[in-house]
Amino acid sequence: MTSETTTLPIAPSEDAQHAIPPEVMEKVVIGGDLSELNAGQRAEYYTAVCKSLGLNPLTKPFEFLTLNGKLRLYALRDCADQLRWLHGISIYITNRERMSDLYIVTARAKDPTGREDESTGALARGTLKGDALANALMKAETKAKRRVTLSLAGLGWLDETELDTIPQVRVGAPTGDLEAGDIHGTGMPTNPQAARLTSDQARDLKKLAQTAFGYAEGERRLRADLGFEPDEKLTLRHLAAHVTVAQGQTPMDGYAQVLRQAVEADLPDFPPPAAVTTSGEG
């Protein structure tokens, strides 16, 4: 028999339903779009969601996000933590592996009734090293744990650890004043400096390195300058997938400077032309 804390269909309270026009309520329940709710209605809906799940709304277990033109809720850390405690969910890591440049963690969850579920958390290692790499590996484990918690609890919602790989996500409750900063962007950056290399740019970068230092040394220098592993691929596809324009610009400028210096060193050292003298007439 399902208890109140595990009853997952979510709907605002009766008072809130009376205050919300039917056509708007349809978008909320069927389409999952909260954008047409006013601030009071969103607060009522938020509280109703928390109440239906047995969560404390004062701890802010959810946040609003705008994705694909729809305003919806996504789960924060406190949501997963409370769900684990409420439902007695235990989690253990079953696998950690590296696949190409991906680091993948698999987590399995189990509740007191014996129900089990399993989810993965994956992150691209790219050129990360040191503390940045350590943080990424821990984040993959956190992502796996939260995803399996939400799945076992019956919530197919995004967790905050998943937003980094979603382009143009906006988080926060809308106020109508974007300049005030009440809503801010997250996820994959849209800044041109964060854009990945195109295949042509990757080809130019490789060719410049090989021209400046020779094939073998150019490949070695390029890996080192990009923070790649010594045996990491330098195919155009790999470079385009893992190197941003900003990351590629620095070595490209350096290689171009090396070539300029080499060309200048090979120029013949012509003596300056002799001064031309003219004699006056008479």
Side-chain angles (χ1 to χ4, degrees), residues 114-176:
R115 292 176 60 246
E116 292 187 349
D117 203 344
E118 194 170 271
S119 292
T120 59
L123 283 173
R125 296 176 71 252
T127 60
L128 297 177
K129 289 186 176 181
D131 289 341
L133 177 58
N135 290 334
L137 301 184
M138 290 187 288
K139 188 172 183 178
E141 184 169 312
T142 299
K143 180 185 288 190
K145 289 180 178 179
R146 293 192 193 172
R147 292 185 71 238
V148 74
T149 298
L150 295 175
S151 179
L152 189 61
L155 287 177
W157 289 355
L158 286 171
D159 174 73
E160 61 180 320
T161 57
E162 300 179 79
L163 299 187
D164 290 343
T165 56
I166 302 176
Q168 300 180 18
V169 174
R170 299 174 65 83
V171 300
T175 64

Side-chain angles (χ1 to χ4, degrees), residues 21 28 49 71 75 95 97 105 129-130 146 202 209 211 241:
V28 171
V49 169
L71 181 69
N95 191 42
E97 63 177 323
V105 177
K129 289 186 176 181
R146 293 192 193 172
T211 304

Side-chain angles (χ1 to χ4, degrees), residues 191-202:
N191 186 333
Q193 283 295 93
R196 304 293 179 182
L197 293 177
T198 65
S199 294
D200 288 341
Q201 290 172 325

